[in-house]
Amino acid sequence: MALTAAGEGERHLVIAPAWIGDSAMAAPFFASLRAALPRARIEALAGPWTAGLLGAFPWIDSVRVLEGGAGKGKWRAFLSVRRVAGPGAPEAIWLLPNSFRAAALARRIGARRRIGYARDGRGWLLTRPVAPPPDSPPPHLVDYYLGLLEAEGLEAAHRAVRLPVSPEAARFADRLLADEAPAGEGPLIGMHPGAFFGDSKLWPLESFAALAVRLAREEGARVLLLGGPDEIGLAGRVAEAAGGAAVNLAGRDTLATLPGLLARLRGLVSGDTGPLHAAALVGTPTVSLFGPTDPRRTAPRGP
């Protein structure tokens, strides 16, 4: 039995992806869920790593943060999930991750409907196990998430969305750029040299540095190196190799303020990592550098 337009106050809980890029690519799902169920209360259950970005989504009423990590942290998160998920069982829980753990969390929370793909041996934990699409050709992750809505008879109204930049994020970007990249005639170009999963996803740092030098020399570009707190040293090595052609801003922003900074860029050069997809979400053109991952599945859909 498919879902229909929700009544006032009906609560839908979405277990969000664990990664920043996947969460950015889930934006059309949240926008389409909001369009399909305009009177429902839509909440996201997310880890602290992605909560900052999801909190900027205008289609979500609230983000519930589930603490926990590896080992005992995962067990504590499982035991506390009912408290974190709020009082009473939601009308429906939507599972965007494919993991068995996500289904176990949904089962513990309880809901009349638990909707997710029947993968990882978890179908018996779902009230609505959805058959996954064929892997060849691989579906884009945006369409993969939207397939859950379509399986429930809801329209996937948005396959691309633009994330509005909050006033706070815009002010943060203005202050940071006024200090680090004073106004000039050349384009403002971002580079994100880091990525998770080690060297397999990284373009050589020397190549980032050479590109920064070339952009500064030939285009008069002001090049900004972006990254998280763990990537300050890596971005610093690029800046050193670029000989002053790039400014290291790694570690200076948060996920809540990053959209404001990305929206100020003329373009972003990045590997397949979270800020690449956040840039596309705010409408910034991107140059995507793919290594072992499949661009048919996770390439940005923006320009």
Side-chain angles (χ1 to χ4, degrees):
M1 180 179 177
L3 287 168
T4 56
E8 189 73 34
E10 193 172 89
R11 190 159 70 101
H12 288 245
L13 182 66
V14 181
I15 298 182
W19 300 103
I20 296 169
D22 293 358
S23 294
M25 287 184 282
F29 172 90
F30 283 105
S32 294
L33 182 61
R34 169 59 68 201
L37 307 175
R39 297 185 300 278
R41 178 171 179 82
I42 297 173
E43 301 176 351
L45 180 68
W49 183 238
T50 57
L53 177 63
L54 291 166
F57 284 12
W59 318 284
I60 300 176
D61 293 299
S62 68
V63 179
R64 297 184 175 273
V65 182
L66 184 64
E67 300 287 347
K72 292 181 179 179
K74 285 189 175 182
W75 179 241
R76 286 194 298 269
F78 181 79
L79 292 177
S80 66
V81 70
R82 285 182 179 171
R83 172 181 55 80
V84 174
E91 168 66 20
I93 298 178
W94 302 81
L95 290 80
L96 299 189
N98 287 321
S99 67
F100 185 92
R101 176 176 181 265
L105 290 172
R107 176 70 176 267
R108 180 164 175 79
I109 294 168
R112 191 173 71 86
R113 300 181 71 85
R114 298 185 297 277
I115 307 153
Y117 285 111
R119 288 188 178 275
D120 202 20
R122 66 182 193 169
W124 62 278
L125 291 169
L126 307 173
T127 65
R128 180 66 168 94
V130 178
D135 287 330
S136 183
H140 194 279
L141 199 55
V142 168
D143 299 320
Y144 186 78
Y145 292 148
L146 290 173
L148 293 176
L149 293 177
E150 294 170 328
E152 285 297 285
L154 301 179
E155 181 185 0
H158 300 282
R159 294 192 180 270
V161 295
R162 178 72 63 87
L163 178 66
V165 175
S166 71
E168 295 79 12
R171 286 194 293 269
F172 167 85
D174 289 341
R175 289 194 299 269
L176 183 61
L177 293 176
D179 292 338
E180 302 291 349
E185 294 183 1
L188 199 61
I189 303 295
M191 292 186 182
H192 192 284
F196 279 99
F197 303 114
D199 293 344
S200 65
K201 273 194 170 186
L202 297 182
W203 201 36
L205 302 188
E206 297 79 7
S207 299
F208 274 109
L211 179 59
V213 170
R214 180 177 175 184
L215 286 169
R217 182 180 66 244
E218 298 182 8
E219 304 294 336
R222 295 168 291 153
V223 179
L224 307 178
L225 300 172
L226 309 180
D230 295 337
E231 296 164 325
I232 295 173
L234 183 146
R237 292 196 295 275
V238 175
E240 183 178 3
V247 177
N248 184 4
L249 297 186
R252 301 286 294 275
D253 59 87
T254 66
L255 274 180
T257 58
L258 179 62
L261 186 57
L262 294 172
R264 295 293 190 272
L265 302 177
R266 183 75 63 83
L268 176 73
V269 182
S270 173
D272 180 23
T273 191
L276 172 72
H277 300 285
L281 195 54
V282 298
T284 297
T286 60
V287 175
S288 311
L289 305 170
F290 275 77
T293 46
D294 191 339
R296 293 176 297 176
R297 181 168 172 78
T298 58
R301 282 190 156 171

